[in-house]
Amino acid sequence: MRKENFKLVGLLFALMGRSANAFSTRMIPSSRPQNLSNRNGLGASTSTSATDTVQDETVDSPASIVYYDQFLDNSIPDGVVCARGVCVLSDYDGFDDDEEESENSLVDSVLNSYLGPRLMLAGASILYGTNFPLGAIMNDALPPSAATCARMVLAAVALSPFLPKLSPSLSGSAILCGCFTALGYTTQSLALVDVSPATVAFLGAATVIVCPTLEALVDKKPMGISEAPQTWLAATLCILGVGVLELYDPSGAGMLEVGWGDALAILQAIGFGTSFFLTERMMRGQPDQALPITAVQVSVTAFICMLWCFADGWMFQEGSSIYALPNLFFEPSIGIAAGAIAWTGLITTAVNRFVETTSLGKVASAEASVILATEPLFAALFASLWLSETFGANDYIGGALIVAACLANTLKPGDFSFLLNAEKDKDAFSP
């Protein structure tokens, strides 16, 4: 891997460090704004400061903002649906066969049906799966920096109408979130140079570990086995899956070697996982900001990718102008790669986020998370169809364990009550 690529990663961490300082001074102590607390009937007064406490008559001990935050963190506020770092205002209240069908438009009819939003989420997951094999195709024809930059510029232009709608209070945190999004996209692109698209997709699903880790470290959310058994199960399955995928050699010749591409694929999960964590943290308080935040994320990513292009050096070589927008669309020799750039920039980044955001409000969060967890499977399918990629036993076993980890993370602590209660009974009868 070239030195310039690792300089880019260093630049990203430097930018995120500077943004984090500004972010830490702008974020309020509570993960929810006061108006949201009032809406949920928690008794918070608008005149009360963030450090004052208000006695809740329903509890014996003095109430505090810590108690309220713990309650809210364990249960997303009524009317909000969150999945994979995106929160929206929910229209979901179960499916009623007697519900009147909307007569406004065909789109409303689809969204208000039972299958409509679920099929749209499944379609979004399928479209996301095309990013990985198409990323490999783009990297074969163009420098990774050129391909990623062109893709993000197109997405930023498509989502630019939402930029003015961003809440001013979220500007600093949205920029910081965009830096981590850029880390995810750039390391993903670099990983696809050396690692198969299916493997990069499965390793990217390691966000299932990153997000709960940040919740424990940043939000101080209880993550013991009794409080979050689903997280421990997901982490165990994910670690086993990554181990099998990366180390197990089905030929029996010994352990597989782990290269820089594999490390970059894991770093991709850290970038996207942190981005999901920050996005959901912002949007739980302001769920109507999904598309404005996404517009900032892709705009910041496009800017950082532009810096990457300068650092990469290809812009100063003779004939390199064919790799830049809009010239690449008029160069026959890279026609397929140009089509992939247009697809991933406009469809799977801009349009797909709009579809995902629109559908999430109609589906329960746990169900939405399960549907979106199928993305690596579709990535593997498209890699097999388009790139004739073959899979070994380690790919099947490791991939299945990682997908199972994503599914396990959608469970609730109550789903493990039979195990936890059995353990408590065992302790009660032990001498």
Coordinates of all heavy atoms in Angstrom, one line a residue, residues 110-148:
V110 N -48.5 2.8 -0.9 CA -47.4 1.8 -0.7 C -46.8 1.9 0.7 O -46.7 0.9 1.4 CB -46.3 2.0 -1.7 CG1 -45.1 1.1 -1.4 CG2 -46.8 1.7 -3.1
L111 N -46.6 3.2 1.2 CA -46.0 3.4 2.5 C -46.9 3.0 3.6 O -46.5 2.5 4.7 CB -45.6 4.8 2.7 CG -44.3 5.3 1.9 CD1 -44.1 6.8 2.0 CD2 -43.1 4.5 2.3
N112 N -48.2 3.1 3.4 CA -49.2 2.8 4.4 C -49.6 1.3 4.4 O -50.4 0.9 5.2 CB -50.4 3.7 4.3 CG -50.1 5.1 4.7 OD1 -49.3 5.4 5.5 ND2 -50.8 6.1 4.0
S113 N -49.1 0.5 3.5 CA -49.4 -0.9 3.4 C -48.4 -1.6 4.3 O -47.4 -1.1 4.8 CB -49.3 -1.4 2.0 OG -47.9 -1.3 1.5
Y114 N -48.7 -2.9 4.5 CA -47.8 -3.7 5.4 C -46.5 -4.0 4.7 O -45.4 -3.9 5.2 CB -48.5 -5.0 5.8 CG -47.6 -5.9 6.7 CD1 -47.5 -5.6 8.1 CD2 -46.9 -7.0 6.1 CE1 -46.7 -6.4 8.9 CE2 -46.1 -7.7 6.9 CZ -46.0 -7.5 8.3 OH -45.2 -8.3 9.1
L115 N -46.6 -4.5 3.4 CA -45.4 -5.0 2.7 C -44.6 -3.8 2.1 O -43.4 -3.9 2.0 CB -45.8 -5.9 1.5 CG -46.3 -7.3 1.9 CD1 -46.7 -8.1 0.7 CD2 -45.2 -8.0 2.7
G116 N -45.2 -2.7 1.8 CA -44.6 -1.6 1.1 C -43.3 -1.1 1.8 O -42.2 -1.2 1.2
P117 N -43.3 -0.6 3.0 CA -42.1 -0.2 3.6 C -41.0 -1.3 3.9 O -39.8 -1.0 3.8 CB -42.6 0.5 4.9 CG -43.9 -0.1 5.2 CD -44.5 -0.4 3.9
R118 N -41.5 -2.5 4.1 CA -40.6 -3.6 4.3 C -39.8 -4.0 3.1 O -38.6 -4.3 3.1 CB -41.3 -4.8 4.9 CG -41.8 -4.6 6.4 CD -42.9 -5.4 6.8 NE -43.3 -5.2 8.2 CZ -44.0 -4.2 8.6 NH1 -44.5 -3.3 7.7 NH2 -44.3 -4.0 9.9
L119 N -40.6 -3.9 1.9 CA -39.9 -4.2 0.7 C -39.0 -3.1 0.3 O -37.9 -3.3 -0.3 CB -41.0 -4.4 -0.4 CG -41.8 -5.7 -0.3 CD1 -42.9 -5.7 -1.4 CD2 -41.0 -6.9 -0.5
M120 N -39.3 -1.9 0.7 CA -38.4 -0.7 0.4 C -37.1 -0.8 1.2 O -36.0 -0.6 0.7 CB -39.1 0.6 0.7 CG -40.3 0.9 -0.3 SD -41.2 2.4 0.2 CE -40.0 3.7 0.0
L121 N -37.2 -1.3 2.4 CA -36.0 -1.5 3.3 C -35.2 -2.6 2.7 O -33.9 -2.5 2.7 CB -36.4 -1.7 4.7 CG -36.7 -0.5 5.6 CD1 -37.1 -1.0 7.0 CD2 -35.5 0.4 5.7
A122 N -35.9 -3.7 2.3 CA -35.1 -4.8 1.7 C -34.4 -4.3 0.4 O -33.3 -4.7 0.1 CB -36.1 -6.0 1.4
G123 N -35.1 -3.5 -0.4 CA -34.5 -3.0 -1.6 C -33.3 -2.1 -1.3 O -32.3 -2.1 -2.0
A124 N -33.4 -1.3 -0.2 CA -32.2 -0.5 0.2 C -31.1 -1.4 0.6 O -29.9 -1.0 0.3 CB -32.7 0.4 1.4
S125 N -31.3 -2.4 1.3 CA -30.2 -3.4 1.7 C -29.6 -4.0 0.5 O -28.4 -4.1 0.4 CB -30.8 -4.4 2.7 OG -29.8 -5.3 3.1
I126 N -30.4 -4.4 -0.5 CA -29.9 -4.9 -1.7 C -29.0 -3.9 -2.4 O -27.9 -4.2 -2.9 CB -31.0 -5.4 -2.6 CG1 -31.8 -6.6 -2.0 CG2 -30.5 -5.8 -4.0 CD1 -33.0 -7.0 -2.7
L127 N -29.5 -2.7 -2.5 CA -28.7 -1.6 -3.2 C -27.4 -1.3 -2.5 O -26.4 -1.1 -3.1 CB -29.5 -0.4 -3.3 CG -30.8 -0.4 -4.3 CD1 -31.5 0.9 -4.3 CD2 -30.3 -0.8 -5.7
Y128 N -27.4 -1.3 -1.2 CA -26.2 -1.1 -0.4 C -25.2 -2.2 -0.7 O -24.0 -2.0 -0.7 CB -26.5 -1.1 1.1 CG -27.0 0.2 1.6 CD1 -28.1 0.2 2.5 CD2 -26.4 1.4 1.3 CE1 -28.6 1.4 3.0 CE2 -26.9 2.6 1.8 CZ -28.0 2.6 2.6 OH -28.5 3.8 3.1
G129 N -25.7 -3.4 -0.9 CA -24.8 -4.6 -1.2 C -24.1 -4.4 -2.5 O -23.0 -5.0 -2.7
T130 N -24.6 -3.6 -3.5 CA -23.9 -3.4 -4.7 C -22.7 -2.5 -4.6 O -21.8 -2.5 -5.5 CB -24.8 -2.8 -5.8 OG1 -25.2 -1.5 -5.4 CG2 -26.1 -3.6 -6.0
N131 N -22.5 -1.8 -3.5 CA -21.4 -0.9 -3.3 C -20.1 -1.6 -3.4 O -19.1 -1.0 -3.9 CB -21.6 -0.1 -2.0 CG -22.6 1.0 -2.1 OD1 -23.0 1.5 -3.2 ND2 -23.2 1.3 -1.0
F132 N -20.0 -2.8 -2.8 CA -18.7 -3.4 -2.6 C -18.1 -4.0 -3.9 O -17.0 -3.6 -4.2 CB -18.9 -4.5 -1.5 CG -19.2 -3.9 -0.2 CD1 -20.6 -3.8 0.2 CD2 -18.3 -3.5 0.7 CE1 -20.9 -3.3 1.4 CE2 -18.6 -3.0 1.9 CZ -19.9 -2.9 2.3
P133 N -18.9 -4.8 -4.7 CA -18.3 -5.2 -6.0 C -18.1 -4.1 -6.9 O -17.1 -4.0 -7.7 CB -19.3 -6.2 -6.5 CG -20.6 -5.9 -5.8 CD -20.2 -5.4 -4.4
L134 N -19.0 -3.1 -6.9 CA -18.8 -1.9 -7.8 C -17.6 -1.1 -7.4 O -16.9 -0.5 -8.2 CB -20.1 -1.1 -7.8 CG -21.3 -1.7 -8.5 CD1 -22.5 -0.7 -8.5 CD2 -21.0 -2.0 -10.0
G135 N -17.3 -1.0 -6.1 CA -16.1 -0.4 -5.6 C -14.9 -1.0 -6.1 O -13.9 -0.3 -6.5
A136 N -14.9 -2.4 -6.2 CA -13.7 -3.1 -6.7 C -13.6 -2.8 -8.2 O -12.4 -2.6 -8.7 CB -13.9 -4.6 -6.5
I137 N -14.7 -2.7 -8.9 CA -14.6 -2.4 -10.4 C -14.1 -1.0 -10.6 O -13.3 -0.8 -11.5 CB -16.1 -2.6 -11.0 CG1 -16.5 -4.0 -11.0 CG2 -16.1 -2.0 -12.4 CD1 -17.9 -4.3 -11.4
M138 N -14.5 0.0 -9.8 CA -14.0 1.3 -9.9 C -12.5 1.4 -9.6 O -11.8 2.1 -10.3 CB -14.8 2.3 -9.0 CG -16.3 2.5 -9.4 SD -17.1 3.7 -8.4 CE -17.2 2.9 -6.8
N139 N -12.1 0.7 -8.6 CA -10.7 0.7 -8.3 C -9.8 0.1 -9.4 O -8.6 0.4 -9.4 CB -10.4 0.0 -6.9 CG -10.9 0.8 -5.8 OD1 -11.2 2.0 -5.9 ND2 -11.0 0.2 -4.6
D140 N -10.3 -0.8 -10.2 CA -9.6 -1.4 -11.2 C -9.3 -0.4 -12.4 O -8.4 -0.6 -13.1 CB -10.3 -2.7 -11.8 CG -10.2 -3.9 -10.8 OD1 -9.3 -3.8 -10.0 OD2 -11.0 -4.8 -10.9
A141 N -10.2 0.5 -12.5 CA -10.1 1.5 -13.7 C -9.6 2.8 -13.3 O -9.0 3.5 -14.1 CB -11.5 1.6 -14.3
L142 N -9.8 3.2 -12.0 CA -9.4 4.5 -11.5 C -8.6 4.4 -10.2 O -8.7 3.4 -9.5 CB -10.6 5.4 -11.3 CG -11.4 6.0 -12.5 CD1 -12.4 4.9 -13.0 CD2 -12.2 7.2 -12.0
P143 N -7.8 5.4 -9.9 CA -7.2 5.5 -8.5 C -8.4 5.5 -7.5 O -9.4 6.1 -7.7 CB -6.5 6.8 -8.5 CG -6.2 7.1 -10.0 CD -7.4 6.6 -10.7
P144 N -8.2 4.8 -6.4 CA -9.3 4.7 -5.4 C -9.7 6.1 -4.9 O -10.9 6.3 -4.7 CB -8.7 3.9 -4.2 CG -7.6 3.1 -4.9 CD -7.1 3.9 -6.0
S145 N -8.8 7.0 -4.8 CA -9.1 8.4 -4.4 C -10.0 9.1 -5.4 O -11.0 9.8 -5.1 CB -7.9 9.2 -4.1 OG -7.1 9.3 -5.3
A146 N -9.8 8.9 -6.7 CA -10.6 9.5 -7.7 C -12.0 8.9 -7.8 O -13.0 9.7 -7.9 CB -9.9 9.3 -9.1
A147 N -12.1 7.6 -7.6 CA -13.4 7.0 -7.7 C -14.2 7.4 -6.5 O -15.4 7.7 -6.6 CB -13.2 5.5 -7.7
T148 N -13.6 7.4 -5.3 CA -14.4 7.7 -4.1 C -14.8 9.2 -4.1 O -15.9 9.6 -3.7 CB -13.6 7.4 -2.8 OG1 -13.1 6.0 -2.9 CG2 -14.4 7.5 -1.6

